[in-house]
Amino acid sequence: MSVRYYLYISDAKTDMLLSQIDPAWGRKRVTELSLGLSVAGAKRSVEVTGADRVGRLERVLRHLEDHADLGHVDEPGQYVHGVLPMQWGAIGDGGTVYFGGRSEHTVVGLGGSAHHLLGTVAAAPPEQSVLSASLPPVLLDRLAALAPQDGAADHEALATVLQANATLRGPAQTVEFVAKRMLHGPCPYPELYPPGTTAVLLASPLFVALAE
């Protein structure tokens, strides 16, 4: 198992993938304990979840590395692995957390439920924890709705990722992540970025961890 300092782990995505990869891993063991009640002879069932959240995540990551379409930020597959300096913060009412950064060729945005932030980082500095209220409160849903059904990334949706990244404040932290690709397409405004910036990527993270 890799040793990581996790900022964010999506239990929802981890459990969804794990149930398909290895159903036996997530199967709950039930232990019946007699309460010794003389009248009804009642018994109580106690559910025991076999593995903790990091163990489940590591099982999924091993499968993605060995069998899935796992690319990197400049050449993303269905999933993407990256290590980048990124700023991050909560969006709108705080229900969505957003990480924004840039590689040599790609502007990258990661968005997911703030519920999956680990408690050690829940209280981020004010300048990192609040973005402009003009941004959609649920950025991922809005962007997905803007994307055409044929899977091509829409100009307006990609421009919204650029807007979200430009709104982030506070120092960047170098983070490692694995995420599910949602949108990927040509940069709508390449003239605003350094030469060579050609693409925009929006993804939903399975995990984000400090890499410093």
Side-chain angles (χ1 to χ4, degrees):
M1 182 186 299
S2 300
V3 177
R4 299 185 176 100
Y5 189 93
Y6 290 101
L7 301 177
Y8 177 102
I9 295 177
S10 174
D11 295 313
K13 284 189 284 294
T14 296
D15 290 344
M16 177 186 66
L17 293 171
L18 189 57
S19 67
Q20 301 170 67
I21 294 167
D22 186 0
W25 181 278
R27 190 174 296 128
K28 294 180 178 180
R29 299 191 299 267
V30 178
T31 303
E32 291 190 341
L33 301 176
S34 175
L35 298 181
L37 298 180
S38 57
V39 176
K43 293 183 178 181
R44 181 178 61 186
S45 293
V46 178
E47 294 183 344
V48 182
T49 59
D52 63 10
R53 67 194 313 186
V54 174
R56 299 195 310 272
L57 173 65
E58 291 287 344
R59 176 68 181 87
V60 170
L61 295 178
R62 287 194 297 271
H63 179 86
L64 295 181
E65 291 170 358
D66 294 340
H67 304 291
D69 182 17
L70 180 64
H72 55 82
V73 293
D74 293 326
E75 294 183 9
Q78 290 297 315
Y79 295 87
V80 56
H81 173 258
V83 179
L84 289 176
M86 303 188 87
Q87 298 168 291
W88 63 275
I91 292 174
D93 61 1
T96 300
V97 63
Y98 185 85
F99 298 82
R102 183 172 58 83
S103 70
E104 184 177 358
H105 301 293
T106 307
V107 177
V108 181
L110 308 174
S113 171
H115 173 74
H116 298 306
L117 282 171
L118 273 68
T120 52
V121 296
E127 67 271 18
Q128 290 181 259
S129 61
V130 180
L131 303 187
S132 170
S134 65
L135 289 175
V138 186
L139 182 62
L140 295 179
D141 288 345
R142 296 292 180 87
L143 290 175
L146 291 171
Q149 295 302 310
D150 61 7
D154 180 81
H155 181 282
E156 187 175 357
L158 296 171
T160 304
V161 176
L162 300 182
Q163 178 191 7
N165 281 31
T167 310
L168 287 163
R169 298 291 181 267
Q173 294 176 297
T174 300
V175 299
E176 179 186 9
F177 60 87
V178 168
K180 176 69 174 71
R181 186 190 71 197
M182 295 188 66
L183 295 173
H184 180 246
C187 183
Y189 310 113
E191 67 278 3
L192 300 180
Y193 290 85
T197 303
T198 59
V200 176
L201 169 67
L202 177 72
S204 182
L206 274 73
F207 82 87
V208 180
L210 287 178
E212 297 176 314

